[in-house]
Amino acid sequence: YVELTGSKLRANIITHEVFKFGPVANYRLGRDDAVSVDDSIVKKMKQVDDSFELGAFAGMEIDNWIFMVEALSDVSDGHDGFVLTLSGGYTWQVNNSWTLSLDASTSYADDDYMSSFFDVDVRDSQRSGLPIYDADSGFKDVGCNIVAVYEWTDLWSIRTSAGFTRLLSDAEDSPVVDDRGDENQFNLGVMAIYTF
């Protein structure tokens, strides 16, 4: 199968009842002082360009349980980093039309990724007034999502989701988050899905 979810494109290239494996492409938004940053202090810091990431995923699905590992690396000179995500979840088939799923995940990011988004270097500190900060590699977040899918035809369905992510370690302690942002992140989403 080929699956497009948000800005991420994933393709499973093996035919197996349990195991999944294939390439992944993702477009990750950066930090643009004119568009994506609301905080007047963080706007004074250097921009982080949007990134195009390539990688692979591997997973397994057993009795409605799903486990997956995904690795993505920037190939566009945006954050120049690497992110590894581990996730697991369970799916309930409520009836012929409704499916509910719950999953949890955590992400590990290398020095380049963490530095791009969470460092405050000397120039950033002078421009913003935030203290100098050096973020190291490590687990940057943990989160959970609940998803409901309603299939109204064989080809079309509606997917609604609600999620919570908590930033961890050096990401949480960065002045960008600790002084000007929030380590707790929430998201809501609704999308139409076409299956072919």
Side-chain angles (χ1 to χ4, degrees):
Y1 61 82
V2 176
E3 179 183 73
L4 177 64
T5 305
S7 62
K8 184 177 293 183
L9 180 67
R10 182 185 290 125
N12 177 42
I13 60 174
I14 62 174
T15 54
H16 195 279
E17 291 183 359
V18 175
F19 297 103
K20 318 290 180 187
F21 174 79
V24 182
N26 183 53
Y27 186 79
R28 189 183 301 270
L29 293 176
R31 187 173 65 209
D32 186 335
D33 59 3
V35 178
S36 61
V37 178
D38 292 329
D39 187 85
S40 60
I41 299 299
V42 179
K43 278 187 177 182
K44 299 177 182 179
M45 299 175 62
K46 67 177 178 294
Q47 296 184 22
V48 180
D49 292 336
D50 295 350
S51 302
F52 182 66
E53 302 167 337
L54 293 177
F57 80 98
M60 57 189 302
E61 185 173 346
I62 304 173
D63 295 330
N64 296 332
W65 288 96
I66 301 172
F67 303 95
M68 188 177 300
V69 57
E70 178 182 272
L72 286 167
S73 182
D74 177 26
V75 296
S76 63
D77 198 30
H79 59 72
D80 293 322
F82 171 85
V83 179
L84 179 73
T85 302
L86 307 173
S87 61
Y90 186 81
T91 300
W92 295 268
Q93 187 69 49
V94 179
N95 54 40
N96 291 335
S97 298
W98 284 95
T99 303
L100 294 175
S101 62
L102 178 67
D103 68 76
S105 64
T106 186
S107 296
Y108 175 90
D110 69 357
D111 279 331
D112 288 331
Y113 180 98
M114 295 292 284
S115 294
S116 294
F117 287 100
F118 301 108
D119 270 8
V120 181
D121 62 21
V122 173
R123 291 189 64 189
D124 283 337
S125 179
Q126 292 172 343
R127 285 184 279 189
S128 68
L130 295 174
I132 295 172
Y133 184 79
D134 182 21
D136 293 326
S137 61
F139 284 93
K140 73 178 184 73
D141 59 44
V142 62
C144 61
N145 287 279
I146 184 167
V147 177
V149 177
Y150 175 71
E151 299 181 17
W152 80 80
T153 72
D154 291 338
L155 299 179
W156 287 97
S157 57
I158 289 288
R159 180 183 189 268
T160 59
S161 64
F164 168 77
T165 301
R166 169 70 185 234
L167 295 176
L168 303 174
S169 61
D170 281 17
E172 176 186 3
D173 294 335
S174 168
V176 177
V177 177
D178 192 35
D179 294 352
R180 306 302 306 181
D182 194 335
E183 66 274 16
N184 298 309
Q185 306 289 313
F186 298 89
N187 66 79
L188 295 171
V190 178
M191 67 178 69
I193 300 173
Y194 180 75
T195 304
F196 56 92

